Amino acid sequence: MRASIIISAFVAALVGFGGTLALVLAAAHAVGASPAEASSWVAAICLAIAATSALLSVRYRMPIIAAWSTPGAALIAGFGSGTGMASATGAFLVAGLLVVLCAAIRPLGALVARIPVAVAAAMLAGVLARFVMALAEHAAATPSLVLPVIAVFFIVRRLSPNWAVPAALLAGGAAAVLLGRVGPMPAPEVSALVWTTPRFDPPVLVGLALPLFLVTMASQNLPGFAVLRAGGYVPPVRPILAVTGLASMASAPFGAHATNLAAITAALCTGPDTHPDPRKRWLAGPVYGGFYLVLAAAGASLVGVFAALPPALIATIAGLALLSPLTGALTAALNEEKHRVAAVATFATTASGVTALGLGAPVWGLAAGLLIVGLDRIRPA
């Protein structure tokens, strides 16, 4: 056990947690979670991340790093308003089940793989765009708070992209204190899990569970496998999907939305900076899991701290955290010329926020893109 393993795991946990916690709390708020349920949400997903990272890394002797679904949290925050915790929990369970079924049933996995990357990426971009565009609105409404945060983000990003969001969060917290915009801070407390009995509401399952499954697979698991391959490993795809899917299902009744492979933060644990010997880098997995156990215990206090911060600051941090994923999604969406029209239609429909027949914009965006792809494949007689 080298110090570099501990440092790499600590940085990965801190960046992954601190960089997008604001987005998870926004998702919890959107579905009407109480403070206790939001705390349980954070604690449950941290426990799932800790367990899957440690178990898979030890079992397969490679640094398999888990995380929560950041695009999934953005999807819930953007399109889950009014869903209710019970219906949201049912959707989280079904999304996890779909991941497990992809691992168990090869034809289903093959069917998901047939969805054009451009269309899936465009749907994701449409989900993320609304949060990024909101940066301009918050900057105009509260410039004294938001503009310094944005400035710190881009300055730090030039030096270290991984630390840009945490630095912006610290700067925003300091600015909020100086401006007198911080509410009462909570007393420290240990997190407690809160059970929510799931309700399986068909429109929510189609409008939330299906898009959550798709964005998690396309924007988290697939890049996560790519990171492992780039590090020289051959990831066991089906066991990883099975374990993360089961972890998602087990943690869903306590509020957690999705556990999956990490992508960006995983790269912090798969390279030579973690350990010169690739055969020893798997040790970062259980150490990373240990840090997430600590974060799980502190979830209630951290939720209280974020609740005391101005909503404009939370929204700004969420938008900044999604800049890089939005860039990647747009790049993938427009990469293939033959699918560009379908991708643009998917993006525009999803970003519109339209709701019809009880189904949200992501479903209609996906349907529009697939319809155009199908029409493009029909050759004139």
Side-chain angles (χ1 to χ4, degrees):
M1 178 67 70
R2 295 164 59 106
S4 58
I5 290 175
I6 298 173
I7 293 171
S8 295
F10 173 75
V11 172
L14 184 62
V15 170
F17 183 90
T20 53
L21 177 61
L23 200 58
V24 173
L25 296 181
H29 177 75
V31 299
S34 67
E37 289 170 333
S39 171
S40 176
W41 186 321
V42 174
I45 203 164
C46 285
L47 290 173
I49 290 170
T52 52
S53 298
L55 175 64
L56 289 169
S57 296
V58 172
R59 170 64 181 82
Y60 293 102
R61 288 297 194 267
M62 62 180 70
I64 301 175
I65 305 300
W68 58 53
S69 175
T70 299
L75 171 75
I76 299 161
F79 299 96
S81 181
T83 299
M85 272 301 293
S87 295
T89 299
F92 302 162
L93 268 169
V94 171
L97 175 62
L98 289 173
V99 175
V100 174
L101 291 177
C102 272
I105 304 173
R106 289 183 182 273
L108 178 60
L111 180 63
V112 172
R114 292 187 64 183
I115 297 176
V117 173
V119 172
M123 182 184 71
L124 174 61
V127 170
L128 304 183
R130 304 176 72 188
F131 293 90
V132 177
M133 289 190 295
L135 287 171
E137 299 175 12
H138 294 297
T142 54
S144 59
L145 175 64
V146 173
L147 290 179
V149 174
I150 295 176
V152 168
F153 172 83
F154 283 105
I155 291 171
V156 175
R157 180 177 170 274
R158 292 288 299 168
L159 303 174
S160 176
N162 287 330
W163 288 101
V165 173
L169 178 58
L170 290 176
V177 171
L178 292 174
L179 295 171
R181 301 282 301 276
V182 178
M185 285 292 176
E189 60 177 315
V190 177
S191 301
L193 297 179
V194 177
W195 175 272
T196 298
T197 300
R199 182 169 63 241
F200 300 100
D201 188 356
V204 176
L205 296 181
V206 176
L208 187 58
L210 180 60
L212 176 59
F213 160 69
L214 291 175
V215 299
T216 298
M217 289 291 290
S219 61
Q220 291 279 175
N221 285 330
L222 294 182
F225 289 130
V227 168
L228 283 170
R229 292 188 180 100
Y233 301 98
V234 180
V237 174
R238 295 177 69 188
I240 289 176
L241 291 179
V243 171
T244 55
L246 289 171
S248 297
M249 294 180 68
S251 57
F254 302 102
H257 63 288
T259 302
N260 43 245
L261 280 183
I264 297 174
T265 53
L268 297 171
C269 298
T270 57
D273 289 342
T274 299
H275 198 290
D277 186 353
R279 294 171 298 178
K280 299 291 182 65
R281 293 173 195 163
W282 68 269
L283 291 167
V287 175
Y288 173 88
F291 285 123
Y292 260 93
L293 288 178
V294 175
L295 292 171
S301 298
L302 293 170
V303 168
V305 169
F306 272 73
L309 297 175
L313 174 59
I314 300 301
T316 298
I317 296 300
L320 292 173
L322 293 175
L323 266 174
S324 180
L326 175 59
T327 302
L330 287 172
T331 301
L334 300 176
N335 187 48
E336 294 184 76
E337 184 177 356
K338 66 178 180 179
H339 289 147
R340 281 178 187 167
V341 173
V344 170
T346 301
F347 172 77
T349 305
T350 305
S352 72
V354 66
T355 299
L357 302 178
L359 301 178
V363 175
W364 292 115
L366 181 65
L370 293 178
L371 177 61
I372 294 173
V373 169
L375 291 174
D376 287 344
R377 289 177 177 173
I378 299 176
R379 297 181 178 180

